[in-house]
Amino acid sequence: MVGVSDPAPAAEVLLAKRVQEMVLHGDEPPALYISRDDHDATDGDGDGGGGGDGGDNFSSPVPIIDMGILSCSEEPFTKEYEEELLKLNSALHTWGCFQAIGHGISSSFLDEIRKVTREFFEQPMEEKNKYSKTVVEFEGYGADPVPEQGQSLDWSDRLFLDVCPPDQRKLQFWPQTPTSFRDVLSEYTEKMKIVTELTSKAMAKSLNLEENCFLKQFGKRSIMQARFNYYSKCQRPDLILGLKPHADGSGYTVILQDEVGLQVFNNEKWYTVPKIPHALFILMADQMEIMTNGVFKSPVHRVLSNSERDRISVAMFYTPEKGKEIGPEDGLVDEKRLRLFKKVKDYADTHWGYYQRGMRALHTAQV
Ligand SMILES: O=C(O)CCC(=O)C(=O)O
Ligand SMILES: [Fe+2]
């Protein structure tokens, strides 16, 4: 039996340590990290998410959208543009996510972000701890804040930073080593603004809405938060998850990964998001489900742990501005499609309260 010690350490105690440190010390995973049973029969790609390219029917089904095609939106629209827009609409309706290629960020810059992320986590604990947070705080280096009793813990460490609006940055948490970290993150944020603008406009057009409608709901002081995730190797990937199943509370999230591990739940199965080095994975979160009156789905996703490889990812959460009311677009409500959601504000806070209890919060926004 994994991690049976007497008395079992409490979540507060475990979360004050880093998973990476436990692995370095050769510690057995404590029981509180166990979050799945060992015969999870719902793996869509049939191999527990290892590679996802085993030649079966479930391989690589996550839609791929060429944002380059969608960035040329001058009328008259080309057939290619119309087709890509339809593909985008269908991807977000059925999957709630897609792999974006042609997004305008160079592969070498994406490699640079992966590199500084790895370099940060590969430093000695002493260096990383300069940016550490307590077990109740959000921003900084550490683990998620302590969840409600009975909730399992994630086999990962992370660095969480508010990046937009820029006047909200707390630079004391921004790593000074590797030395290029801050500049690379600032540049990535600028590029993310362009990607989210392009994505928000394309999504609106795919729904026959005015192209700026979502951007207006996000507001001028829309929020971006970067979460750098480090998933250490794990001896028991059959029992322990890198990140437990959840849907995001943002508007939508843009994820950069270096290895497979992320899975999306669709049609009662888990599908591994394949590794496409030059792609960004764009995932609808609850607030886009609300703004689209349920047309786009906010999918449940999770991250597997792996005994052979560690993994990093960078998730950029794009969220409507603080205190701003958001709600279903008028153009998506009529007699045939009734209003499903109310107007809400600061939904991400509500979401977090439920997340801590292992629950979704979307029902709190239903009419
Ligand atoms: O690591 C990943 O690929 C996903 C991370 C994620 O879902 C999150 O940070 O909310
Ligand atoms: Fe997530």
Side-chain angles (χ1 to χ4, degrees):
M1 174 72 196
V2 178
V4 177
S5 54
D6 194 19
E12 289 78 1
V13 176
L14 294 170
L15 292 173
K17 305 201 254 191
R18 303 283 50 80
V19 168
Q20 202 178 358
E21 225 174 347
M22 292 195 261
V23 173
L24 282 174
H25 294 164
D27 296 354
E28 294 246 300
L32 260 181
Y33 287 89
I34 295 177
S35 60
R36 54 188 305 212
D37 57 43
D38 50 1
H39 33 67
D40 197 334
T42 55
D43 290 307
D45 45 13
D47 64 353
D53 55 358
D56 54 62
N57 291 336
F58 299 120
S59 293
S60 310
V62 177
I64 299 175
I65 304 289
D66 189 339
M67 300 302 286
I69 297 175
L70 295 176
S71 63
C72 320
S73 61
E74 301 287 290
E75 289 188 52
F77 300 138
T78 60
K79 187 157 175 284
E80 198 187 25
Y81 176 87
E82 302 270 14
E83 281 173 6
E84 209 62 15
L85 212 51
L86 270 179
K87 247 171 83 184
L88 176 70
N89 181 292
S90 149
L92 296 178
H93 182 61
T94 55
W95 282 87
C97 59
F98 63 96
Q99 300 255 40
I101 58 167
H103 42 63
I105 305 184
S106 69
S107 295
S108 58
F109 189 67
L110 296 180
D111 286 342
E112 193 62 32
I113 300 153
R114 295 187 186 99
K115 182 163 163 269
V116 294
T117 305
R118 273 206 174 266
E119 281 174 0
F120 172 75
F121 286 106
E122 278 163 8
Q123 296 178 109
M125 289 312 300
E126 191 183 289
E127 187 55 43
K128 287 177 288 195
N129 280 337
K130 291 182 185 162
Y131 311 99
S132 69
K133 55 180 222 45
T134 67
V135 292
V136 293
E137 285 168 320
F138 223 93
E139 201 165 354
Y141 170 62
D144 273 350
V146 181
E148 296 253 324
Q149 210 170 357
Q151 293 302 310
S152 59
L153 307 181
D154 300 315
W155 197 252
S156 63
D157 300 315
R158 91 277 197 294
L159 171 70
F160 195 97
L161 299 173
D162 288 350
V163 296
C164 278
D167 57 26
Q168 297 301 303
R169 293 180 184 180
K170 296 187 199 71
L171 286 182
Q172 70 267 30
F173 292 120
W174 287 49
Q176 284 183 297
T177 54
T179 49
S180 59
F181 190 97
R182 290 180 170 193
D183 286 345
V184 171
L185 177 55
S186 299
E187 196 176 335
Y188 190 50
T189 307
E190 287 310 307
K191 293 186 193 299
M192 278 295 114
K193 281 192 205 154
I194 299 169
V195 170
T196 51
E197 189 176 326
L198 172 59
T199 307
S200 299
K201 285 185 175 176
M203 292 196 294
K205 290 205 153 178
S206 82
L207 292 161
N208 290 319
L209 299 171
E210 191 275 309
E211 72 170 1
N212 291 310
C213 67
F214 294 128
L215 289 171
K216 282 186 192 146
Q217 294 222 47
F218 277 91
K220 285 207 167 60
R221 283 177 60 78
S222 58
I223 298 167
M224 276 199 207
Q225 293 161 308
R227 178 176 163 143
F228 298 83
N229 295 300
Y230 180 73
Y231 302 94
S232 296
K233 285 184 204 170
C234 179
Q235 297 167 21
R236 296 303 305 265
D238 53 334
L239 299 177
I240 293 174
L241 288 168
L243 186 55
K244 56 185 159 288
H246 67 283
D248 290 353
S250 53
Y252 57 98
T253 307
V254 183
I255 298 170
L256 179 68
Q257 61 174 355
D258 76 340
E259 287 294 342
V260 288
L262 174 60
Q263 294 192 317
V264 177
F265 198 64
N266 191 18
N267 267 326
E268 304 303 312
K269 292 188 192 78
W270 287 106
Y271 290 89
T272 297
V273 177
K275 176 168 132 183
I276 307 181
H278 57 283
L280 291 167
F281 181 65
I282 301 189
L283 179 83
M284 294 301 104
D286 286 0
Q287 298 198 53
M288 273 307 289
E289 182 157 339
I290 295 171
M291 287 189 253
T292 60
N293 200 28
V295 178
F296 291 171
K297 301 293 181 303
S298 163
V300 171
H301 52 286
R302 69 179 184 184
V303 179
L304 299 180
S305 61
N306 191 305
S307 56
E308 312 275 302
R309 270 176 315 219
D310 59 358
R311 172 178 184 267
I312 57 107
S313 70
V314 183
M316 189 67 94
F317 300 100
Y318 178 50
T319 305
E321 123 186 354
K322 207 168 163 39
K324 191 165 191 324
E325 251 188 4
I326 60 122
E329 281 297 323
D330 289 341
L332 299 174
V333 180
D334 58 28
E335 329 63 80
K336 284 212 216 87
R337 184 163 190 97
L338 301 180
R339 176 179 295 275
L340 296 181
F341 297 104
K342 323 181 255 219
K343 289 195 167 163
V344 290
K345 66 176 173 187
D346 297 329
Y347 172 85
D349 297 342
T350 313
H351 170 271
W352 183 250
Y354 279 86
Y355 181 93
Q356 295 283 75
R357 289 183 266 158
M359 292 163 73
R360 289 197 70 173
L362 205 50
H363 67 277
T364 65
Q366 275 163 358
V367 288

